[in-house]
Amino acid sequence: MNKPAIAATLAVLLSISPSPAIAQNAPTETPAVSGGDLGCAVRFMFMGMTLDKAAQDTTKSESARTEARIAAADARRDQAYFLARLELTPTKTDRAEEGLAIFSGFLKLSTDEMIKEIDLCRDFSRQHQAQVLQTLKKKEAK
């Protein structure tokens, strides 16, 4: 894993600065991991990059590489969800600095703890995306 590349990517992604009008619609509920929405965005970035590496590993079977590509795409969709939530959240601190701190802490976890936190973020993302879709369907039905 190329940590400088991850850090550079993270710094660019986290330089998003929401407009004051958008911040009025900031999400109120956050996932139960360190860093909340930002923490989940960092975790899915890490997961996507790790799965990309697995998808390019020619020592793996083609089916394993295909599974890794599909899982990387799923991770990026979840990452995009949390980045969109960050766009609605006023910047309280330097997100790049905060993101790097979250990433450093995340790397210190055991593999089982990493997976547990990624699962928490995924469950949060999927549950809240489903709620948004239900709301849109109700509005469309009217």
Side-chain angles (χ1 to χ4, degrees):
M1 171 93 20
N2 184 346
K3 290 181 186 176
I6 292 173
T9 303
L10 183 62
V12 170
L13 288 173
L14 301 177
S15 64
I16 298 169
S17 180
S19 72
I22 291 175
Q24 294 175 18
N25 297 315
T28 56
E29 193 177 347
T30 59
V33 298
S34 67
D37 292 328
L38 178 58
C40 285
V42 168
R43 285 159 177 80
F44 283 117
M45 181 195 68
F46 173 80
M47 186 176 169
M49 293 177 124
T50 301
L51 289 163
D52 283 341
K53 187 176 178 181
Q56 296 170 2
D57 185 350
T58 57
T59 63
K60 296 186 181 293
S61 70
E62 187 55 40
S63 65
R65 293 171 65 196
T66 298
E67 282 182 36
R69 279 191 284 279
I70 292 167
D74 288 344
R76 285 200 174 64
R77 277 190 287 280
D78 287 314
Q79 179 187 9
Y81 170 76
F82 287 106
L83 289 174
R85 285 175 54 92
L86 285 173
E87 183 67 22
L88 298 173
T89 306
T91 303
K92 297 177 185 167
T93 63
D94 178 8
R95 284 192 177 150
E97 185 178 309
E98 183 183 359
L100 290 172
I102 292 167
F103 180 63
S104 295
F106 180 69
L107 288 179
K108 293 176 184 173
L109 298 176
S110 70
T111 301
D112 287 343
E113 291 171 317
M114 286 179 166
I115 291 169
K116 181 180 177 184
E117 290 193 356
I118 289 169
D119 285 344
L120 284 170
C121 290
R122 178 180 290 123
D123 291 346
F124 184 93
S125 170
R126 303 290 164 82
Q127 175 189 358
H128 287 83
Q129 288 184 61
Q131 289 172 355
V132 169
L133 288 174
Q134 286 295 356
T135 301
L136 292 174
K137 286 179 184 178
K138 287 178 185 176
K139 286 182 179 183
E140 188 177 281
K142 290 181 179 181

